[in-house]
Amino acid sequence: MQGKSPIATKWVLVLLFALAACVGSGPSDRQPSRSDQTPVTAGRLPSNSPQTRQCISQLRRMGASFEPLPDRWFGGGCTALSSVKLLDIGTPLAHMTAITCPMATNLIAWSRDVAQPAARRYFGANIRQIETMGSYSCRPVNGQAGNGLSEHGRANAIDIGGFTLADGRRVTVLNGWNGKDDRVRQFLRDIHKGACRNFQIVLGPDANHWHADHLHFDMGKGPYCR
Ligand SMILES: [Zn+2]
């Protein structure tokens, strides 16, 4: 009778480890390895930090309806730390994913103090819905392979594609930024410029062609406003 050779046993173990690695990959609550321990900046604070607890209180005081999300570590350095699921900030937001608490408070401030007043000023109507193109998304800067991790990969950014007004009109960055309607052009430039007071990085169609159809706001290292 022939038993398993040591080599066969070794390969069985290798296979088991490989399977365990497959099961462990993908979105999960995996803890970070030592090499993931990067300096603490916005978007990298865990939910139990004093700054995050203070931010969550502020979010409540602002009257937002939201669900705090557990800290999550995804593959490729992507994380969603001290993030929330925004349910209601007064103006409905379409296509939202996880967003860090500091991004959420600044988004609310921008929506209330910049975007809504500008819509009333230029169009005589409130914004009924802000059409986002998402917040958390694990991808490199500008979606280009080889670039560093985008702040979207830390739930620390949001893309805004356009707006639906209370009277049903629709304003989009793609059609409006260089479009024929002066009011729309001015409105978009005003809310872009105004966002530079709320966020660290603000990018629009004048930044590069990757932003032809949206405004990008993040709380990474700034300030940069283009
Ligand atoms: Zn973006």
Side-chain angles (χ1 to χ4, degrees), residues 134-135 139 150 152 157-160 203 211 214-218:
S135 34
R139 63 182 193 238
S150 164
H152 285 282
I158 190 169
D159 291 336
I160 308 283
L203 302 170
H211 294 85
H214 68 275
L215 307 178
H216 165 103
F217 306 152
D218 78 52

Side-chain angles (χ1 to χ4, degrees), residues 55 59 62 64 84 86 89 96 99-110 155 199 219:
C55 181
L59 205 48
M62 291 177 103
V84 299
L86 280 179
I89 67 160
M96 283 294 291
I99 189 165
T100 60
C101 183
M103 273 298 299
T105 55
N106 285 300
L107 182 64
I108 293 172
W110 172 80
F199 302 96
M219 291 300 284

Side-chain angles (χ1 to χ4, degrees), residues 121-137:
R121 205 159 60 241
Y122 287 102
F123 308 119
N126 278 318
I127 293 168
R128 187 166 73 199
Q129 184 178 59
I130 298 174
E131 296 169 17
T132 89
M133 292 162 78
S135 34
Y136 174 80
S137 170

Side-chain angles (χ1 to χ4, degrees), residues 33-182:
S33 66
R34 281 265 168 235
S35 60
D36 290 334
Q37 308 269 334
T38 40
V40 170
T41 58
R44 289 179 176 144
L45 290 170
S47 55
N48 59 5
S49 70
Q51 291 96 324
T52 300
R53 287 202 298 270
Q54 200 176 11
C55 181
I56 293 286
S57 303
Q58 189 188 349
L59 205 48
R60 284 206 183 92
R61 282 199 303 275
M62 291 177 103
S65 166
F66 63 97
E67 284 171 11
L69 295 171
D71 287 343
R72 286 168 296 170
W73 288 265
F74 303 98
C78 290
T79 55
L81 305 183
S82 59
S83 63
V84 299
K85 181 181 182 184
L86 280 179
L87 302 173
D88 185 8
I89 67 160
T91 305
L93 295 161
H95 314 303
M96 283 294 291
T97 44
I99 189 165
T100 60
C101 183
M103 273 298 299
T105 55
N106 285 300
L107 182 64
I108 293 172
W110 172 80
S111 161
R112 285 181 185 172
D113 306 336
V114 178
Q116 285 288 14
R120 288 191 288 270
R121 205 159 60 241
Y122 287 102
F123 308 119
N126 278 318
I127 293 168
R128 187 166 73 199
Q129 184 178 59
I130 298 174
E131 296 169 17
T132 89
M133 292 162 78
S135 34
Y136 174 80
S137 170
C138 190
R139 63 182 193 238
V141 170
N142 295 330
Q144 301 299 296
N147 283 355
L149 182 65
S150 164
E151 288 298 325
H152 285 282
R154 300 187 183 101
N156 205 28
I158 190 169
D159 291 336
I160 308 283
F163 307 87
T164 308
L165 303 177
D167 58 14
R169 272 181 291 176
R170 198 161 163 256
V171 173
T172 65
V173 175
L174 180 64
N175 296 324
W177 189 268
N178 290 315
K180 290 190 176 119
D181 190 329
D182 279 344

